[in-house]
């Protein structure tokens, strides 16, 4: 039977593995990537860990032993073969609580228990461990960085990655991460206002679930490794109740998304032919949407081929219709109806 192209780890168990160190965290991911349909039983051991991450098999074996010591992984011998079993969710609470209790730190123990309130599945593409084509696997890249915070953030962002719901990682104010764009009203044409956008600062918040003190250092490693990117989206407003209107990527994104940007910018430029700054993205928007904003949403480079990803990709036809609507708008524009706001 062919293995699925994705695997799952429970966030609680993942946090416990990270608390042990880099080798243990990486080893846990490799074992999890080797599971079958049950997301529990794996034939991948120290040999696979060495193959995919570069950790010497003796040190990989030691890392597995530590995972076994605290009960995150158990092993079953079947003749000369070994099968590793990831501990079920309902047993993780006692494991993490026991580990935290050894620190004799009541606050640490309580924090560990607080993380165990509900199942927290993280769905991950196998390419994170096995790589894609000739690319170095992301987990290997991050292990070589020797920055556990970066690896931990990388997996945590997948937990917060909701393509159909948020276009990627949560972007809303106070709870997400986003790239901001400066907005400027350039002109008006009929029922449309033409807005100009320029990229501005990145921001996140201490109230975001993935925040920690060294967040931006870890983020920089992920960004330099090409594992995350901001993809611009037109949103109804910067309010907490706003939704995405449509993607509007600037230099990245899916082909059907990029078609929207090209068509929208062309329509905008036909509406305000006096505006010649090619470094500004122009977007015509109905006057009935006065609070629109452009927000850069974090998207992971590698995506698990799950039902949620398929749901997001089902928007391709809608994206193409949006691009065609902007193309039709551009064809309909004449010089009449232009109202100059600024030159």
């Amino acid at each position: 039977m062919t293995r699925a192209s994705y695997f799952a780890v429970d966030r609680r168990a993942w946090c416990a593995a990270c608390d042990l160190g880099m080798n243990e965290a990486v080893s846990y991911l490799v074992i999890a990537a080797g599971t079958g349909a049950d997301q529990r039983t794996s034939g991948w051991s120290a040999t696979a860990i060495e193959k995919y991450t570069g950790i010497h098999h003796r040190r990989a074996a030691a890392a597995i032993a530590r995972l076994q010591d605290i009960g995150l992984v158990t092993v079953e011998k079947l003749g000369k073969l070994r099968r590793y079993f990831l501990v079920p969710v309902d047993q993780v609470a006692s494991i993490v609580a026991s580990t935290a209790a050894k620190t004799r730190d009541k606050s640490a123990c309580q924090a560990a228990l607080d993380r165990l309130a509900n199942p927290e599945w993280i769905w991950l593409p196998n390419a994170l461990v096995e790589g894609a084509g000739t690319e170095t696997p992301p987990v290997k890249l991050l292990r070589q960085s020797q920055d556990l915070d970066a690896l931990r953030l990388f997996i945590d962002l997948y937990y917060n990655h909701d393509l159909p719901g948020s276009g990627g990682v949560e972007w809303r104010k106070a709870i997400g991460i986003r790239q901001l764009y400066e907005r400027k009203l350039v002109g008006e044409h009929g029922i449309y206002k033409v807005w100009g956008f320029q990229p501005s600062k990145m921001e996140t918040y201490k109230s975001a679930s993935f925040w920690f003190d060294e967040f931006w250092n870890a983020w920089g490693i992920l960004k330099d490794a090409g594992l995350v990117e901001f993809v611009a989206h037109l949103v109804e407003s910067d309010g907490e109740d706003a939704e995405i209107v449509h993607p509007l990527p600037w230099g990245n994104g899916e082909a059907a998304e990029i078609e929207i940007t090209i068509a929208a910018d062309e329509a905008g430029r036909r509406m305000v032919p006096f505006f010649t700054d090619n470094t500004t993205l122009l977007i015509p928007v109905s006057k009935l949407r006065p609070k629109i904003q452009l927000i850069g949403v974090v998207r992971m480079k590698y995506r698990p081929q799950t039902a949620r990803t398929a749901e997001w990709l089902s928007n391709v036809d809608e994206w193409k219709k949006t691009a065609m609507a902007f193309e039709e708008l551009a064809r309909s524009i004449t010089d009449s109806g232009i109202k100059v706001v600024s030159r």
Side-chain angles (χ1 to χ4, degrees), residues 9 20 53 82 99 107 114 127 144-145 180 231 242 278 280 287 291 305 326 339:
V9 297
L20 295 176
T53 73
R82 289 188 177 190
T99 302
S107 63
D114 290 344
Q144 291 172 342
S145 77
L180 300 178
V231 179
N278 291 323
T280 297
K287 293 178 181 179
K291 296 183 179 181
Q305 299 305 306
F326 277 118
K339 180 180 177 181

Side-chain angles (χ1 to χ4, degrees), residues 27-57:
S27 297
Y28 188 82
L29 287 176
V30 174
I31 293 171
T35 58
D38 67 352
Q39 304 295 334
R40 286 286 174 259
T41 308
S42 175
W44 286 11
S45 60
T47 301
I49 294 168
E50 181 174 45
K51 174 183 177 181
Y52 291 118
T53 73
I55 299 174
H56 191 278
H57 62 270

Side-chain angles (χ1 to χ4, degrees), residues 88-334:
V89 173
D90 58 2
Q91 297 177 32
V92 173
S94 61
I95 293 168
V96 179
S98 174
T99 302
K102 291 177 183 178
T103 68
R104 298 184 180 181
D105 183 340
K106 292 183 179 180
S107 63
C109 185
Q110 185 58 52
L113 288 171
D114 290 344
R115 292 202 302 258
L116 305 172
N118 297 295
E120 298 179 343
W121 292 110
I122 309 175
W123 295 93
L124 303 166
N126 276 16
L128 298 191
V129 170
E130 299 179 64
T134 60
E135 296 178 348
T136 301
V139 170
K140 184 175 184 178
L141 272 179
L142 295 177
R143 187 203 67 77
Q144 291 172 342
S145 77
Q146 288 295 287
D147 192 309
L148 182 57
D149 283 342
L151 177 63
R152 193 168 191 162
L153 175 61
F154 183 54
I155 301 303
D156 210 18
L157 287 175
Y158 275 97
Y159 177 70
N160 292 274
H161 197 237
D162 180 8
L163 284 169
S166 298
V169 176
E170 177 58 64
W171 52 269
R172 291 169 180 83
K173 188 179 294 184
I175 59 175
I177 177 174
R178 69 262 194 86
Q179 180 175 21
L180 300 178
Y181 286 78
E182 293 182 0
R183 187 184 78 160
K184 177 183 179 181
L185 182 59
V186 176
E188 297 182 15
H189 188 288
I191 64 170
Y192 295 96
K193 289 187 175 182
V194 181
W195 296 100
F197 294 98
Q198 284 276 5
S200 182
K201 64 180 181 179
M202 299 178 293
E203 64 180 11
T204 189
Y205 305 86
K206 291 184 178 180
S207 51
S209 65
F210 43 77
W211 168 264
F212 55 95
D213 287 343
E214 299 300 319
F215 174 87
W216 288 114
N217 289 336
W219 171 264
I221 292 173
L222 301 185
K223 188 74 167 58
D224 290 344
L227 300 177
V228 293
E229 63 180 354
F230 282 109
V231 179
H233 288 69
L234 193 69
V235 301
E236 294 170 336
S237 74
D238 198 12
E240 61 182 15
D241 296 326
E243 298 290 345
I244 289 173
V245 179
H246 55 68
L248 208 61
W250 201 353
N252 53 11
E254 300 292 312
E257 295 177 311
I258 294 171
E259 289 177 10
I260 299 175
T261 308
I262 294 172
D265 185 69
E266 174 62 22
R269 292 188 183 281
R270 291 197 180 191
M271 288 182 176
V272 288
F274 58 84
F275 191 82
T276 58
D277 180 3
N278 291 323
T279 66
T280 297
L281 180 63
L282 296 185
I283 306 298
V285 181
S286 167
K287 293 178 181 179
L288 297 178
R289 285 176 165 167
K291 296 183 179 181
I292 60 96
Q293 294 287 347
L294 196 63
I295 299 287
V297 180
V298 172
R299 188 178 292 174
M300 311 304 288
K301 176 182 177 181
Y302 296 88
R303 300 157 207 153
Q305 299 305 306
T306 61
R308 296 287 286 167
T309 302
E311 180 185 351
W312 171 70
L313 285 172
S314 69
N315 290 316
V316 167
D317 287 344
E318 191 63 32
W319 296 337
K320 290 183 176 180
K321 289 179 182 178
T322 300
M324 290 174 62
F326 277 118
E327 290 170 355
E328 180 60 32
L329 178 61
R331 286 192 291 268
S332 70
I333 293 169
T334 63

